[in-house]
Amino acid sequence: MSGARVRRLTDVGMTVSLFFLMGFPFFGMTAHMAAGSVFFLLLVFHHWMNRHWAPSLRRGRWNAVRYLQTGANLALFLVIAALLWSSLIFARATFDFLPRLGTMSLAREMHMAAAYRGFLVMSFHVGLHGDMFASRMRSFHAKRQRGLSVAGTLLAAYGLWAFWSRGWIGYLFLQSDFVFFDFNESKWLFYFDHAAIMALGIWLGWQAMKGARRSMRRK
């Protein structure tokens, strides 16, 4: 199996795990912990496959694109660290040999904010690599390209509405103490809204990348 295919499968696995984690009340804490462990292992493998990125920062010139990518990766590192820290605090309730890293109240707030921020940052990170999608779209007929572009933009626009209506502002900035879940809601609608929010993050990342490239061309 080629390295490119392994990367794609890893990214798909991380995405599926991420969506599963966002709907944790539907499946229970045990399943949430198992999915979190899978996601973390896939993330470690993802970084191992991209292990040459960090040493490369010492070489070459810095420009708008490089600053943007590095800033997004730094933000991603911080939210993953917060998720891991808070997860260890939660896990101590079951595995008492783990070190005491904080209170459950701290863990709950940290985990909620980091989870929702991480979802957006990861989506933004994918958008920074929009060239992969653009290159595939170039193989399509012009009408199909326009149709996919319009559909993606409309999905991102709906994602903005879903972001607001589901109260993500409160979760991101700890204005809410708990995540509200309607257990009578269709899981399909729940995940469609989250897919739209991800599309919004990807669209923002792609627009930011295009803006960074335009600023470089003007110099």
Side-chain angles (χ1 to χ4, degrees):
M1 186 180 295
S2 66
R5 188 170 185 183
V6 171
R7 290 173 188 270
R8 286 196 297 271
L9 289 175
T10 302
D11 292 343
V12 169
M14 290 173 61
T15 303
V16 172
S17 300
L18 180 61
F19 273 89
F20 186 88
L21 289 167
M22 295 303 291
F24 72 94
F26 294 135
F27 307 104
M29 187 54 68
T30 301
H32 186 72
M33 293 175 64
S37 300
V38 170
F39 177 81
F40 179 72
L41 291 174
L42 289 172
L43 183 67
V44 170
F45 184 60
H46 174 85
H47 282 280
W48 180 80
M49 288 190 296
N50 294 279
R51 60 192 179 278
H52 301 298
W53 176 80
S56 71
L57 294 177
R58 295 176 292 181
R59 301 187 296 271
R61 296 179 60 185
W62 283 77
N63 52 44
V65 169
R66 201 171 190 186
Y67 279 116
L68 179 61
Q69 291 176 330
T70 304
N73 287 339
L74 178 59
L76 192 55
F77 171 80
L78 292 175
V79 294
I80 292 298
L83 285 170
L84 181 59
W85 187 297
S86 54
S87 297
L88 289 174
I89 297 176
F90 286 132
R92 195 178 187 280
T94 304
F95 306 104
D96 57 5
F97 60 85
L98 292 172
R100 187 183 298 276
L101 299 174
T103 64
M104 292 297 286
S105 176
L106 171 66
R108 186 179 65 251
E109 292 182 352
M110 184 186 299
H111 203 78
M112 181 174 67
Y116 283 87
R117 293 175 187 180
F119 188 90
L120 293 177
V121 173
M122 290 175 203
S123 304
F124 187 86
H125 174 79
V126 172
L128 295 181
H129 299 276
D131 287 339
M132 295 184 296
F133 304 105
S135 62
R136 292 186 181 183
M137 286 183 62
R138 280 194 286 270
S139 64
F140 298 148
H141 189 273
K143 288 185 177 180
R144 190 176 181 185
Q145 289 183 33
R146 287 194 294 271
L148 289 172
S149 179
V150 170
T153 302
L154 290 175
L155 184 61
Y158 175 78
L160 181 61
W161 181 88
F163 173 88
W164 181 261
S165 65
R166 288 189 175 273
W168 274 50
I169 292 292
Y171 305 146
L172 291 172
F173 299 102
L174 296 177
Q175 297 172 355
S176 303
D177 292 330
F178 297 96
V179 177
F180 172 76
F181 274 89
D182 180 3
F183 290 94
N184 295 319
E185 178 186 23
S186 165
K187 292 185 179 69
W188 291 105
L189 177 59
F190 174 87
Y191 281 113
F192 179 78
D193 280 6
H194 281 69
I197 294 172
M198 175 172 280
L200 173 63
I202 292 172
W203 184 85
L204 291 173
W206 179 230
Q207 296 305 311
M209 176 57 73
K210 291 197 293 186
R213 287 173 174 167
R214 282 194 299 268
S215 70
M216 291 173 56
R217 288 195 293 267
R218 288 194 295 266
K219 293 182 178 180

